[in-house]
Amino acid sequence: MTADQRRTVRRLVDAHGRTYAEEAGIRLKDTPQPLYRLLVLAHLLSARISASIAVATARALGEAGLRDPRRMADADWQQRVDALGRGGYRRYDERTATQLGDAAELLTDRWGGDLRRLRDEAEGDVGEVRRLLQEFPGVGPTGADIFLREVQQVWPGVSPFLDRKALQGAERLGLPGDPERLLALADDTDPAVLAAALVRAAVDKTVADDTLDRAA
């Protein structure tokens, strides 16, 4: 652990330490609606599409009133397609519209629309939470990791959670690949905020380059 590495982490967090949920306008709390909106955001972010489009689409779905699983399931397929299109999510809109409807029905039928019940079913086992999340149509390992990365802000039992993508960002910045060492470098930074900043460095080389230039 070096002073240079600590300075790199500080520059990264200062410039890019914003969770994707915050960017999407989701006031994350341990309550059913924001947790559901985070699940939808994780689903959107996991596709091969830019994060900015995924975030804009999550906002568009919220503006269309599709903020909870009941409303998502009750909306017809075309309403979901239209909302996805307004966010710019056109490449995957038809398939995603179907997946969102099916996932909303699963969440309602199995867990009463409340992702906290999914967490309780897993009995605090993060690996089991990750597995259960992948039962939602359209949510694979990447989507599950995104959800866990962000939800650790309100689910302390998940924290600290730095997934493979976050660790790729650390590698690009010349930082340790060990989560505990990264957290030590970040001092009191919220692990969710650190993870989001590292992911931005992983997916955008200009973020990494700018951070290293500023820290030099």
Side-chain angles (χ1 to χ4, degrees):
M1 191 181 301
T2 69
D4 286 346
Q5 289 176 330
R6 191 178 296 276
R7 188 160 52 247
T8 296
V9 171
R10 177 48 49 201
R11 297 298 186 196
L12 175 70
V13 170
D14 286 348
H16 304 286
R18 187 183 189 200
T19 66
Y20 287 94
E22 182 184 359
E23 189 177 343
I26 300 170
R27 294 185 178 182
L28 195 56
K29 296 186 291 185
D30 190 21
T31 54
Q33 188 178 106
L35 291 173
Y36 172 68
R37 293 186 69 199
L38 177 60
L39 178 67
V40 171
L41 175 62
H43 180 164
L44 298 173
L45 282 167
S46 66
R48 292 183 178 180
I49 200 163
S50 74
S52 61
I53 290 176
V55 165
T57 302
R59 283 183 171 273
L61 288 166
E63 290 164 1
L66 306 180
R67 292 169 171 257
D68 61 58
R70 180 183 59 79
R71 291 176 181 172
M72 184 69 79
D74 287 348
D76 65 37
W77 180 81
Q78 191 60 54
Q79 287 175 306
R80 293 193 293 268
V81 168
D82 291 345
L84 290 164
R86 285 193 293 275
Y89 209 83
R90 296 184 179 87
R91 183 177 173 188
Y92 304 102
D93 56 351
E94 296 185 358
R95 181 181 66 182
T96 302
T98 298
Q99 291 173 337
L100 288 174
D102 291 344
E105 290 182 3
L106 174 61
L107 179 55
T108 301
D109 293 346
R110 183 166 173 183
W111 292 291
D114 189 345
L115 284 161
R116 295 175 300 181
R117 296 185 182 180
L118 179 153
R119 177 192 63 196
D120 293 344
E121 181 179 320
E123 298 181 343
D125 184 328
V126 175
E128 181 64 5
V129 173
R130 187 175 185 271
R131 187 191 69 78
L132 289 172
L133 288 168
Q134 292 177 63
E135 295 195 15
F136 291 109
V139 178
T142 298
D145 284 347
I146 293 168
F147 180 88
L148 290 168
R149 215 166 57 209
E150 298 265 320
V151 83
Q152 66 181 316
Q153 198 163 49
V154 295
W155 284 3
V158 170
S159 185
F161 187 88
L162 298 180
D163 67 335
R164 184 174 61 179
K165 185 60 71 174
L167 296 179
Q168 286 174 358
E171 181 181 8
R172 175 171 271 181
L173 291 165
L175 297 171
D178 176 69
E180 293 300 329
R181 291 179 66 193
L182 284 169
L183 289 164
L185 286 169
D187 295 324
D188 60 351
T189 300
D190 186 318
V193 170
L194 174 62
L198 288 169
V199 168
R200 288 187 169 90
V203 301
D204 187 344
K205 189 174 183 296
T206 61
V207 168
D209 290 345
D210 179 66
T211 298
L212 291 172
D213 286 346
R214 289 175 181 273

